[in-house]
Amino acid sequence: MTTTIDSSTGKTPWVFYGVLFGILGTLSILAWGPIGVSGTYPRVIGELLTLVVPDYAAGNPYLQKMGHLFAKTETYLVIGLLLGGFLGARLNKEKAPACEMIHPSEKTTGRRYRDAFIGGFLIVFGARIAGGCTSGHIISGITQLSVSGFIFAAGVFATGILTAKTLKRRHVAAEA
Amino acid sequence: MTAFYGLLIGVAMGFFIQRVRASSPGMIVRNLRLENLSVIKFMALTMAVGMVLVYGLNLVIPSAMHFDVKPTYVLGVLLGGLVFGVGFGIGGYCPGTSVVGIGEGRKDAIVAMLGGVVGALVFTLVYTTLIAPIVKVADLGKITLADVTHVSPFVLAVVVSAVFLVVIKLLPTEVGAKR
């Protein structure tokens, strides 16, 4: 079993880690509940607003529904993701990755950062409308055979594929 | 104690995501363009393994399972998925992989997370007026495929898992490359 990543072919050990991730999600349901990430974002906002405008935060029904940041197991999972990403890269002796330009239109890091910001805004806004993200709705949702997980995944891949393909094609058309 | 379990599971999850390059926005976009399907297959395999394990264990130790099914409010879940997909295609990150990317040392992941924080702020501000009415539409509650079909969840898990495994096996990982 190899865990090295061949960057020339893009081959990754997804079979090995796919099986492990399935077991990990099961351990999570045994320990406290299904994994999830995106709810942490509004909980961070809740803590910040509580510092700045405590009356508004206390009266906002969404923040009250989401609960306190440090009372949720999910918050510690998100801190773990940060450490896990660090360990994954360092134990494999990988250098800090260079900024990847992912669409043909991203010719400067400024354009890349703009896309990352817009993308980050939309994934969290969309996830909060739906009540979950790739982790909570797709991985945990479909693992539990939740109807909502299948509907969310269908929506994500419909526009995700369309957007990624359009951003490539439109540029090719503009160059021609 | 669950905080500690959460931290441990988060570390393992972040490690796995980093190793399969799901925290690389370039890899995510290649998957969404259907040029390389390794991350999609990774996710499908995770779910195929997980569903059989959790519903198998549920037959043996049902009291130990902390299931938490999210409500199916059809309009909001679909609309949220569609908005999420556009952001996923533009930025190449999801809320979890941007955090993993920051751990790896990716600067654009920090920008994506800041975008997410602003997104959460705007969402919180407009929730009562814009979002609350949407999530009330066609709310079917916390339902699973087992509730809809009246088939045993374990049997369904085995069937859905088998379908996922067949699709994983049939689809190429590197599209257009020799298998």
Side-chain angles (χ1 to χ4, degrees):
Chain A
M1 206 283 306
T2 174
T3 55
T4 51
I5 293 159
D6 186 342
S7 57
S8 60
T9 61
K11 277 191 184 139
T12 66
W14 61 268
V15 176
F16 179 72
Y17 287 112
V19 173
L20 282 191
F21 199 10
I23 296 169
L24 189 73
T26 306
L27 290 176
S28 179
I29 288 175
L30 283 168
W32 84 89
I35 58 163
V37 173
S38 72
T40 306
Y41 284 78
R43 283 186 208 107
V44 168
I45 294 299
E47 297 299 324
L48 293 175
L49 289 181
T50 302
L51 288 176
V52 186
V53 278
D55 291 346
Y56 175 81
N60 184 294
Y62 185 66
L63 294 178
Q64 293 312 307
K65 182 170 96 99
M66 294 308 289
H68 288 292
L69 184 65
F70 295 106
K72 295 284 177 179
T73 306
E74 202 174 288
T75 305
Y76 302 92
L77 182 138
V78 174
I79 296 167
L81 289 180
L82 194 68
L83 293 171
F86 176 81
L87 288 175
R90 292 304 166 273
L91 293 180
N92 215 24
K93 295 190 170 57
E94 292 173 30
K95 290 179 197 150
C99 186
E100 287 183 78
M101 304 300 176
I102 68 170
H103 302 297
S105 59
E106 291 178 351
K107 299 212 187 294
T108 60
T109 49
R111 288 292 292 256
R112 172 66 206 132
Y113 288 167
R114 189 199 64 174
D115 286 353
F117 188 88
I118 296 169
F121 183 102
L122 292 175
I123 53 172
V124 172
F125 197 91
R128 292 334 300 159
I129 300 174
C133 62
T134 329
S135 308
H137 256 317
I138 302 185
I139 300 285
S140 297
I142 295 180
T143 294
Q144 296 177 93
L145 301 174
S146 169
V147 174
S148 57
F150 289 96
I151 295 175
F152 182 75
V156 167
F157 284 103
T159 52
I161 291 168
L162 190 70
T163 303
K165 281 187 174 286
T166 304
L167 286 175
K168 186 180 184 183
R169 200 181 305 126
R170 214 177 50 185
H171 190 79
V172 172
E175 295 274 289
Chain B
M1 197 60 206
T2 60
F4 182 64
Y5 293 144
L7 185 72
L8 282 185
I9 287 178
V11 170
M13 180 176 159
F15 187 92
F16 300 169
I17 286 173
Q18 195 277 336
R19 283 299 162 96
V20 302
R21 297 182 70 204
S23 53
S24 151
M27 177 61 115
I28 291 299
V29 163
R30 279 198 294 284
N31 272 260
L32 290 176
R33 287 183 201 144
L34 308 177
E35 296 165 359
N36 176 303
L37 302 179
S38 62
V39 178
I40 293 170
K41 287 186 169 193
F42 164 74
M43 291 169 65
L45 183 57
T46 292
M47 296 182 279
V49 170
M51 64 181 71
V52 172
L53 284 179
V54 295
Y55 283 116
L57 283 171
N58 189 44
L59 294 176
V60 189
I61 42 167
S63 62
M65 308 306 289
H66 300 90
F67 289 119
D68 189 2
V69 173
K70 291 181 188 290
T72 300
Y73 43 90
V74 178
L75 180 65
V77 171
L78 183 63
L79 185 69
L82 294 171
V83 172
F84 185 106
V86 175
F88 204 26
I90 293 174
Y93 283 113
C94 70
T97 64
S98 63
V99 178
V100 178
I102 294 171
E104 256 188 303
R106 293 177 184 273
K107 292 197 181 71
D108 61 339
I110 300 174
V111 179
M113 199 196 67
L114 287 175
V117 169
V118 175
L121 173 64
V122 174
F123 182 88
T124 303
L125 298 178
V126 302
Y127 178 77
T128 309
T129 45
L130 282 182
I131 311 297
I134 293 173
V135 302
K136 287 192 188 116
V137 178
D139 187 357
L140 306 178
K142 298 179 175 182
I143 53 166
T144 67
L145 284 188
D147 300 321
V148 177
T149 58
H150 302 291
V151 174
S152 140
F154 179 67
V155 172
L156 267 180
V158 170
V159 171
V160 176
S161 177
V163 171
F164 278 23
L165 292 176
V166 168
V167 172
I168 290 168
K169 189 73 191 159
L170 289 179
L171 289 176
T173 304
E174 194 75 35
V175 179
K178 280 187 192 140
R179 296 184 67 196

